[in-house]
Amino acid sequence: MGKLLKLIISLAALAILAGCTTTQWVKTGANQSDFYVDDAQCNVQALSARVVPFVQNQIKSECLKGKGWYLTESGTSSRKYTLDEINSPLGKAAGQSCRRESDCQSGLSCRSISGGGAACR
């Protein structure tokens, strides 16, 4: 019973902390109307998959990331982290989009690419 109570308290604390932060999609050099266009296109792609809503959300998220958007979290830190940075402590691999040298894996640098943006190379 003690373990269950600790689990419930931990989950409640996590839910409270999660309520203090908000996430938003951002893209360097893009504005809100750019997001609306890309978001609508990704919604169409996700809804056409005819799968459960959870999978549709993943499809939409991957679509937006493919268009150069990344999630930021406000309310916890002034530093904004992408999902790739959170999921990969080693940094981004060659070819993945980046914003600065520290985003890339050791031995790679963040270089601009044709058409805008930057990638680890």
Side-chain angles (χ1 to χ4, degrees):
M1 182 70 173
K3 288 183 181 181
L4 180 60
L5 182 58
K6 286 180 184 179
L7 177 63
I8 291 171
I9 291 171
S10 297
L11 290 174
L14 183 60
I16 290 168
L17 289 174
C20 298
T21 62
T22 59
T23 57
Q24 65 181 8
W25 288 99
V26 293
K27 179 180 178 179
T28 305
N31 60 34
Q32 193 65 36
S33 14
D34 295 327
F35 174 75
Y36 291 143
V37 170
D38 288 345
D39 184 57
Q41 291 171 349
C42 290
N43 268 332
V44 169
Q45 181 179 340
L47 292 173
S48 68
R50 298 200 186 278
V51 292
V52 294
F54 174 77
V55 175
Q56 286 177 336
N57 288 339
Q58 289 179 318
I59 292 169
K60 179 182 172 183
S61 178
E62 290 301 316
C63 175
L64 286 168
K65 285 192 269 183
K67 292 178 178 286
W69 294 92
Y70 60 95
L71 277 175
T72 61
E73 206 172 274
S74 61
T76 57
S77 167
S78 60
R79 167 88 159 85
K80 307 292 186 198
Y81 295 93
T82 65
L83 288 177
D84 290 334
E85 289 173 312
I86 293 168
N87 293 332
S88 174
L90 301 175
K92 295 182 176 184
Q96 290 184 310
S97 63
C98 58
R99 295 180 65 196
R100 60 189 139 283
E101 295 291 321
S102 61
D103 291 343
C104 300
Q105 289 179 357
S106 178
L108 298 176
S109 60
C110 187
R111 298 186 186 168
S112 58
I113 54 176
S114 63
C120 297
R121 305 229 183 251

